[in-house]
């Protein structure tokens, strides 16, 4: 089985330096892009590959790139931004990719910039990814030195400036429009969806934003083609995916597997199944802001549509397993406290609704729950739904709660009637 | 006392070379001050504002949004304890209780000797090594109370 | 027009709006918080949710924010849908989670947008059972009170203060549900428009600190429509009274003039009305010595007898009018003393400047813009004015005008203009061209494309050259230094490439040539087939109106007294010590056999008179003012003058009666005076139409100044009498001093308050507009008197001044203006007086150094006969060779500037 993204990642040692990376075929795709492919060629390749954004929403990458306005009649500079803010509870895939092979990301980014005719790029990385940032910095310097970045790249006439921005911290910065605000030195409050960032983004200029993993796929697609990329997958979404598992499993970790691998395979084969003495109760398949799936869903394939059909979201593809020794109310309380704390404070439902749910969950967990509490929680899951809040943070926050109320309702009720947490 | 040394000023300037506006230098400048002084005092925040030709309100409005700009003094070492879901499942509470017992401080507090400050942090992205903490930018995963004792010894 | 469907009924609305304003315009009630008609949409509060349907077959629909969704043709929405009602109830419930529910002790209570929206959205019972979040408050200075616990995080304050008004000492701090709106530390809010926070904030976070000193509920205040007396712009205000004292000023929406906002001088400058300098009793001198201020109170009857006696004893009496008094009062005085004996009460110099402005506006091809027009101008040149401090509200409009040109960026991205956050994001810091050429820095420098600080004569020369660059027929300035020449070319290029250029100038420089240069530029532009606007700021609320009536100049008047031609003066609402040098005024007053003053405050002139008749302030006066735009507007008294006080013109008509001056006209009624004025001065031909006639009635009823919930009327004077007195009559206006009357929506000029069923807050103004942020329902108020002559082009001025040449000994002393301090009446109030700067001698840093002066050290300045010893203030932006002296500040009244000055060596 091919593992293009992680082929050259070895946790035990330093990542490939530029020369090593080149030796294993690195920057070949870039060279080819700049010398023998047109922008349209590459765009078509990306479209044909069925690559969907790995940042959580799964938006088709080719389509997103083509929504950049034509460069002849739009203002400059045009920006490309990599979202490396990874703070979704349970997610750690982008860190592995950057720490493991920073040149892969840089190469993907340069190709992307070339296709959308951008001259300046930012990698927006969270402050706690110190090792990743250190390695990226070094790799960027190497790339500049070798002429992959900067002025007149490989004699093609294409210029691209790449900057690393270390975030000052906040989950909401990962939201694409909030990220833009943060880069501009504003409070990282999300922006309205229209106009799209591709038309008016960073400093009002055309701006394209992609996730780390999304862009890491690009050199391979250019190198080996769209058909090859699709063939990696077990479903219609192209490529492999870094799946991760955390929680009380035997071997928590991350693995590059075909898109469409089943949850069971990931949990049981790769993560080694639940630890001895605990039993599986459910899983948040795509990170902290997705809905619980339970026993009956174990054979669901991990791809955007199948997970959606099962009632949850593919998200980041990094799962968190819930076991029978862990209190689901406590777990959801933990998540809601997280989301409440990370709310940017811009829109009412999120700013006021999330802390309320967190407080109710705390009260239930502490044995101070009241019968009407579940009603209030339920109404929140509805009132904080998509379209009602300014961005996707609060709707995401409601996904674990809503599904927990569905699958673990008796646990909530027991807390309230027994006036204590049965797990404590 | 000069609140911003020339050295810091020149660093801010080169940090801002990439910024088309004064605003976008705010975070960069505060980070530089914090790197040097550990935290951003009111006086230094004012100095940054003056330097960038912004008001204190403009700088602090941004500074107070983010959790990695410290507007209160911190100890020599900052312990970030991941309190997010994977770490919580894997026993974050035990870790926190243990650290609190060892150091006598809770979240938001600093040891009287100025050695440690304890802060919660959003998911550290180390869920496969949960529970995890980060001290001064170094990640420590797969923690147990014993391991913590060992780790803390390394920070004076 | 767009066809939209609201709960399955079809409506037509103008294109280009969002659903919220379209629905409000149609009369629907949709709750909202973060949206504000002037601040527009950002979509943060989520209160204005409606259900939108794709088409008639879509039964499910989806929730959208009405403020963020365009009301395009074919839009289908439901306001009433269950889901969306439930959501809105949820939003208000969230907003009330942490609210302190302290309405009974909250100044906003009863006129609170949050209360209104809570009721409108259906949140009744409290389910939240946890602790509320609390905050510490800040001391924000003498105007604004801060009570953060009441905040609902709608972000309007910060959007108004920073984005709209350009204030920088205020912001939002923190994150998640711990968000704070205020300053970094306690301290006075610096922005000149901070008072609008009182109305912008939908709840009681920012309230009027001056109101707290004498609080009354909105419904307990008797209110009347009025015109702000504190500068020449004529902003519309609502004046509130209870128990005979003035309680507060609110903005009164006027689409063309002030829109939704006032400046702080206008809002907080009212305190003089009940201040210590107020005169409530006729005062008369018994012993004849004018200097010792021994005035004794007399009764009205006696006062009139004294007046009569004085008149008999006088050979010739001059009447001095006032640019801060109404047209009617001035005209009455003119009738009393005779046109040939009427003086318009301005210094000769000022009068000359104002006359020239009037000539330019009346005879030239350019128009004088309303403040709303100003907002739509896309290139601006300010010649010699510190607009923020002279005509403050116009500065707020100019701040909007620089957004006009960059709107093209938003337009090209198809971002609707109401989508405020998206527009700002697309436009970033881009600003339209605004140039300021003035002697020193001003409050708008931060938005100027370029500023240039040069001496008044050079300002004029630069201006002349700009005009010449635009139209070669306009006289050139041949010996202009290269740098100025390039600047002139730059400005003219920007003006020529705009659609609606605006030139702002005025009397501040005190130089005729600056005024003429501004005219040349505007005229040259109007020859290039674009509508050029020309706006002159004028110092007082009726400067323009008074000059249209005309009269002797002050110099003539003084001359006549000193030569003995005249032996008595009647001075109407005018402190001569503010108009001329003290020594001169003293001499004039001493020379007079009799001096009679009609005024509402006791000033130095009053103290040296023989008889003072206590007049009504603007709050007790009905009459007409003409703004610098040339707009004639009527103010209505909010309360009858108490006790022995009377409106000035009533005193005059009483005197006329006492003197047996039998005239064909009864001067005691506003309407008679107005038609007399109209008859005598053709420019005032529309004066009688400025507001509905005295006998205007709706369904036979007057318009009540008191709200229908006005409480305790029968008990109010219970300490005096247990019988409810008959409400005072008001034969002078369509308004009554009572609760009874027509409570619907009257014509705008007589609208006493904004209130509508379920809209108790000032946001009720929505119900008083034909369409949101548009003209008023009951017809607009005010009449423009001067329209440009389109047939004829102005003849260019050609008298160029010499270039400014500083010879190191003779300094030119110019005026510097302060929003708080330069205006007479507002300065007398307790709160405003706390903001008045101390007198100073302003010098540029180099000049100060050459004189061996540092910031703060004392210097002696000699101007003619006047010697001033004051601390030096370094003004880095001041043009070298000039000295700036604050105008009108207590201690510096009556220094006529510009003038030559000398700094004494130590
Ligand atoms: C609250 C919130 C946090 C997010 N955090 C991240 C993040 O840390 N990293 C990321 O790549 N995308 C994050 N996203 C998704 C981005 O907004 C965006 O959809 C994505 O980066 C687009 O890249 P893609 O098309 O390559 O997936 C977040 C979204 C939301 C609503
Ligand atoms: S202080 Fe008032 S205006 Fe500002 S956010 Fe709070 S409620 Fe809104
Ligand atoms: S008024 Fe529409 S979201 Fe606030």
């Amino acid at each position: 089985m091919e593992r293009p993204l992680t082929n050259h990642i070895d946790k035990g040692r330093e990542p490939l330096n530029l020369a090593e990376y080149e030796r294993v075929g690195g920057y070949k795709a870039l060279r080819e892009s700049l010398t023998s492919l047109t922008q349209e060629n590459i765009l078509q390749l990306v479209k044909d590959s069925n690559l969907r954004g790995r940042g959580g929403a799964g938006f088709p990458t080719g389509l997103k790139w083509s929504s950049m306005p034509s460069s002849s009649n739009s203002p400059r500079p045009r920006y490309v931004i990599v979202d490396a803010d990874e703070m979704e509870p349970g997610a750690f895939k982008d860190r592995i990719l950057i720490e493991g092979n920073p040149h892969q990301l840089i190469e993907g980014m340069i190709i992307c910039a070339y296709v959308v005719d951008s001259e300046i790029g930012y990698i927006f990385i969270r402050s706690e990814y110190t090792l990743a940032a250190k390695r990226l910095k070094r790799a960027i310097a190497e790339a500049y030195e070798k002429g992959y970045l900067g002025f007149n790249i490989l004699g093609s006439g294409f210029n691209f400036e790449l900057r690393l921005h270390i975030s000052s911290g906040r989950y909401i910065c990962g939201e694409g429009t909030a990220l833009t605000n943060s880069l501009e030195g504003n409070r990282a409050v999300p922006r309205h969806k229209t106009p799209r960032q591709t038309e008016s983004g960073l400093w009002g200029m055309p701006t394209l934003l992609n996730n780390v993993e999304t862009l890491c796929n690009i050199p391979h697609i250019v190198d080996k083609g769209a058909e090859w990329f699709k063939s990696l997958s077990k479903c219609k979404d192209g490529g492999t995916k870094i799946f991760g598992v955390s929680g009380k499993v035997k071997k928590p970790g991350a693995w590059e597997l075909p898109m469409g691998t089943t949850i069971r395979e990931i949990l049981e084969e790769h993560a080694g199944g639940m630890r001895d003495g605990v039993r599986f109760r459910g899983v948040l398949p795509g990170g902290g802001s997705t809905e619980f799936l339970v026993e009956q869903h174990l054979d669901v394939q991990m791809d955007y549509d199948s997970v959606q059909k099962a009632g949850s979201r593919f998200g980041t593809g990094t799962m968190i397993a819930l076991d029978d020794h862990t209190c689901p109310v406590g777990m959801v309380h933990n998540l809601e406290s997280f989301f409440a704390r990370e709310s940017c404070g811009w829109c009412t439902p999120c700013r006021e609704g999330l802390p309320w749910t967190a407080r109710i969950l705390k009260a239930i967990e502490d044995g101070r729950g009241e019968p009407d509490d579940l009603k209030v929680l339920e109404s929140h899951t509805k009132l904080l739904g998509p379209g009602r809040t300014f961005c996707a943070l609060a709707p995401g926050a409601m996904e674990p709660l809503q599904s927990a109320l569905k699958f673990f309702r008796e646990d909530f009720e027991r807390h309230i009637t027994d006036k204590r947490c049965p797990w404590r | 006392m000069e609140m911003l040394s020339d050295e810091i000023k020149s660093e801010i300037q080169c940090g801002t070379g990439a910024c088309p506006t004064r605003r976008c230098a705010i975070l960069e400048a505060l980070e530089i001050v914090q790197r040097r002084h550990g935290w951003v005092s009111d006086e230094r925040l004012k100095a940054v504002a003056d330097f960038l030709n912004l008001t204190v309100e403009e700088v602090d409005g941004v500074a107070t949004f983010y959790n990695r700009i410290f507007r209160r003094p911190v100890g020599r070492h900052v312990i970030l304890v991941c309190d997010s879901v994977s770490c919580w499942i894997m026993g974050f509470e035990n870790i926190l209780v243990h650290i609190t017992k060892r150091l006598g401080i809770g979240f938001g507090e600093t040891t009287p000797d100025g050695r440690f400050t304890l802060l919660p942090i959003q998911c550290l992205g180390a869920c496969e090594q949960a529970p995890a903490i980060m001290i001064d930018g170094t990640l420590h995963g797969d923690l147990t109370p014993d391991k913590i004792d060992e780790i803390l010894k390394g920070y004076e | 027009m767009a066809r939209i469907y609201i709960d399955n009924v079809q409506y037509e609305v103008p294109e280009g709006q969002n659903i919220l304003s379209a629905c409000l315009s149609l009369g629907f009630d949709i709750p909202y918080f973060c949206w504000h008609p002037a601040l527009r949409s950002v979509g943060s509060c989520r209160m204005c949710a409606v259900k939108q349907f794709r088409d008639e077959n879509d039964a499910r629909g989806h929730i959208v924010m009405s403020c963020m969704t365009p009301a395009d043709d074919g839009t289908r929405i439901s306001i009433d849908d269950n889901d969306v009602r439930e959501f809105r109830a949820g939003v208000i419930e969230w907003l009330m989670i942490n609210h302190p529910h302290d309405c009974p002790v909250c100044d906003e209570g009863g006129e609170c947008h949050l209360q209104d929206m809570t009721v409108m959205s259906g949140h009744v019972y409290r389910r939240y059972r946890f602790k509320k979040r609390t905050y510490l408050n800040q001391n924000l200075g003498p105007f604004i009170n801060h009570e953060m616990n009441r905040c609902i995080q709608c972000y309007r304050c910060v959007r108004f203060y920073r984005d709209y008004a350009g204030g920088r000492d205020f912001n939002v701090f923190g994150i998640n549900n711990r968000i704070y709106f205020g300053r970094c530390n306690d301290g006075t809010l610096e922005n000149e428009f901070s008072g609008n926070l009182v109305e912008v904030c939908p709840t009681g976070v920012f309230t009027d600190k001056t109101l707290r000193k004498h609080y009354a509920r909105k419904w307990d205040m008797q209110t009347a429509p009025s015109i702000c007396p504190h500068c020449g712009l004529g902003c519309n205000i609502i004046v509130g009274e209870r128990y005979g004292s003035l309680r507060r000023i609110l903005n009164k929406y006027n689409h063309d003039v002030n829109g939704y906002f006032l400046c702080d001088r206008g809002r907080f400058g009212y305190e003089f009305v009940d201040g210590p300098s107020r005169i409530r009793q006729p005062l008369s001198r018994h012993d004849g010595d004018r200097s010792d201020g021994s005035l004794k109170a007399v009764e009205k009857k006696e006062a009139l007898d004294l007046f009569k006696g004085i008149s008999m004893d006088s050979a010739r009496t001059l009447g001095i009018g006032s640019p801060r008094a109404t047209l009617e009062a001035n005209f009455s005085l003119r009738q009393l003393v005779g046109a040939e004996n009427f003086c318009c009460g301005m210094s000769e110099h000022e009068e000359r400047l104002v006359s020239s402005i009037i000539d330019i506006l009346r005879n030239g091809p350019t128009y004088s813009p309303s403040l709303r027009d100003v907002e739509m101008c896309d290139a601006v040149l300010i010649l010699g004015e510190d607009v923020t401090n002279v005509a403050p509200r116009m500065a707020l409009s100019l701040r909007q005008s620089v957004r006009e040109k960059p709107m093209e960026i938003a337009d090209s991205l198809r971002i609707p203009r109401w989508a405020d956050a998206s527009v700002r994001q697309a436009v970033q810091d881009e600003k339209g061209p605004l140039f300021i050429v003035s002697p020193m820095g001003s409050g708008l420098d931060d938005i100027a494309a370029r500023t240039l600080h040069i001496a008044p004569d050079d300002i004029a020369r630069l201006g002349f050259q700009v005009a010449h660059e635009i139209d070669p027929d306009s006289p050139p300035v041949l010996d202009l230094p290269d740098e100025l020449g390039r600047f002139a070319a730059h400005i003219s290029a920007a003006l020529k490439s705009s659609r609606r250029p605006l030139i702002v100038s005025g009397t501040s420089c005190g130089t005729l040539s600056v005024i003429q240069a501004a005219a040349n530029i505007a005229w040259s532009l109007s020859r290039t087939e674009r509508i050029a606007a020309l706006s002159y700021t004028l110092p007082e609320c009726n400067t323009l109106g008074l000059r249209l009536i005309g009269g002797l100049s002050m110099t003539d008047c003084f001359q006549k007294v000193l030569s003995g031609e005249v032996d008595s003066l009647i001075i109407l609402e005018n402190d001569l010590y503010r108009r001329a040098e003290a020594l001169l005024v003293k001499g004039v007053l001493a020379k007079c056999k009799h001096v009679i003053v009609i005024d509402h405050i006791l000033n130095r002139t009053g103290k040296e008179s023989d008889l003072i008749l206590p007049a009504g302030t603007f709050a007790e006066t009905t009459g007409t003012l003409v703004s610098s735009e040339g707009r004639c507007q009527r103010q209505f008294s909010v309360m009858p003058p108490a006790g022995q006080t009377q409106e000035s013109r009533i005193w005059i008509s009483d005197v006329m009666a006492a003197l047996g001056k039998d005239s064909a006209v009864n001067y005691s009624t506003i309407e008679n005076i107005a038609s007399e004025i109209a008859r005598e001065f053709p420019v005032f031909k529309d004066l009688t139409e400025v507001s509905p006639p005295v006998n205007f009635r709706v369904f036979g009823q007057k318009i009540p100044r008191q709200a229908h919930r006005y409480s305790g009327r029968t008990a109010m004077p219970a300490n005096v009498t247990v019988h409810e007195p008959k409400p005072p009559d008001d034969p002078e206006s369509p308004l009554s001093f009572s609760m009874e009357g027509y409570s619907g929506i009257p014509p705008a000029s007589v609208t006493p308050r904004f209130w509508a069923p379920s809209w108790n807050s000032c946001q009720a103004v929505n119900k008083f507009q034909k369409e949101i942020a548009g003209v008023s329902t009951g017809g607009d108020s005010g009449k423009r008197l001067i329209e440009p002559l389109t047939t004829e082009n102005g003849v260019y001025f050609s008298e160029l001044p010499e270039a400014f040449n500083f010879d190191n000994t003779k300094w030119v002393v110019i005026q510097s203006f302060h929003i708080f301090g330069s205006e007479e009446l507002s300065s007398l109030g307790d709160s405003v007086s706390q903001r008045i700067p101390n007198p100073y001698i302003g010098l540029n840093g180099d000049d100060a150094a050459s004189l061996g002066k540092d910031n703060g050290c004392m210097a002696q300045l000699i101007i003619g006969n006047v010697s001033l010893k004051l601390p030096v203030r370094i003004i880095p932006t001041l043009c070298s060779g000039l000295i700036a002296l604050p105008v009108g500040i207590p201690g510096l009244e009556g220094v006529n500037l510009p003038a030559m000055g000398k700094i004494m060596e130590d």
Side-chain angles (χ1 to χ4, degrees), chain C residues 684-717:
Chain C
F684 286 114
K685 65 180 182 340
D686 291 336
L687 189 60
T688 47
E689 279 150 49
V690 164
S691 80
V694 166
N695 61 5
F696 175 84
R697 299 290 181 275
V698 190
F699 303 126
Q701 302 177 90
K702 279 193 150 200
I703 294 136
R705 286 181 174 90
Q706 296 167 359
H708 19 322
R709 286 186 288 166
Y710 193 81
S711 63
R713 189 172 75 183
T714 50
M716 280 174 81

Side-chain angles (χ1 to χ4, degrees), chain B residues 19-117:
Chain B
C19 295
T21 64
R22 282 173 285 139
R23 287 198 64 78
C24 79
I26 294 177
L27 288 169
E28 205 105 40
L30 294 175
E31 297 266 5
I32 291 168
V33 169
Q34 181 162 307
R35 218 178 300 140
R36 170 62 67 89
H37 299 283
W39 65 293
V40 182
S41 64
D42 287 355
E43 292 76 22
R44 292 214 163 80
L45 182 120
K46 166 114 180 44
V48 167
D50 290 347
F51 183 66
L52 295 175
N53 201 5
L54 297 166
T55 63
V56 282
E57 280 78 14
E58 284 161 346
V59 176
D60 211 17
V62 175
T64 54
F65 185 92
Y66 296 92
N67 58 339
R68 295 305 306 275
I69 305 285
F70 302 146
R71 292 286 283 110
R72 296 271 168 78
V74 290
R76 291 192 292 286
H77 308 289
V78 176
I79 308 178
L80 303 175
V81 183
C82 177
D83 63 355
S84 294
V85 66
S86 304
C87 288
W88 180 84
I89 293 175
M90 301 306 287
F92 141 81
E93 278 172 13
N94 299 338
I95 301 298
L96 182 64
V97 166
H98 186 78
I99 297 180
T100 297
K101 222 185 288 163
R102 277 299 308 265
L103 301 179
I105 50 171
F107 276 149
E109 294 173 352
T110 301
T111 53
D113 59 0
R115 194 162 145 236
F116 288 111
T117 294

Side-chain angles (χ1 to χ4, degrees), chain A residues 187 200 341 345 359 373, chain C residues 86 128-129 155 174 176 425:
Chain A
R187 299 161 56 79
S200 171
R341 187 173 74 196
R359 285 182 154 192
D373 282 350
Chain C
E86 186 196 0
Y128 186 77
R129 61 185 160 95
Y155 289 82
N176 56 47
Q425 165 200 330

Side-chain angles (χ1 to χ4, degrees), chain A residues 52-61 64 82-88 93-94 171-177 179 209-215 289 304 316 339 391-394:
Chain A
R52 292 176 68 169
R54 307 295 198 230
F59 194 81
T61 305
K64 195 192 247 184
V82 173
D83 189 340
D85 198 50
E86 201 166 62
M87 287 193 201
E88 177 77 11
K93 65 187 182 73
D94 295 339
Y171 170 62
I172 190 66
C173 292
E175 200 280 341
T177 58
L179 183 151
L209 178 111
N210 274 124
N211 169 257
V212 171
E213 187 181 354
T214 312
L215 288 183
S289 54
Y304 294 97
T316 56
F339 289 117
C391 84
L393 186 143

Side-chain angles (χ1 to χ4, degrees), chain C residues 479-535:
Chain C
D479 52 346
L480 204 63
D482 279 357
E483 193 207 343
L484 294 190
R486 277 194 302 275
F487 194 54
H490 181 66
I491 295 174
S492 62
L495 293 175
K496 272 197 293 190
S497 64
S498 68
R499 279 174 299 113
R500 309 167 128 250
L502 164 68
I503 315 299
V504 179
S505 187
T507 57
S508 300
C509 281
T511 312
L512 201 54
S513 53
V514 170
I515 290 170
Q516 295 176 340
N520 273 14
I521 303 171
W523 290 348
S524 67
L525 283 166
S526 60
R527 290 191 186 181
T528 59
E529 321 252 288
R530 41 174 76 65
I531 320 162
L534 175 60
S535 181

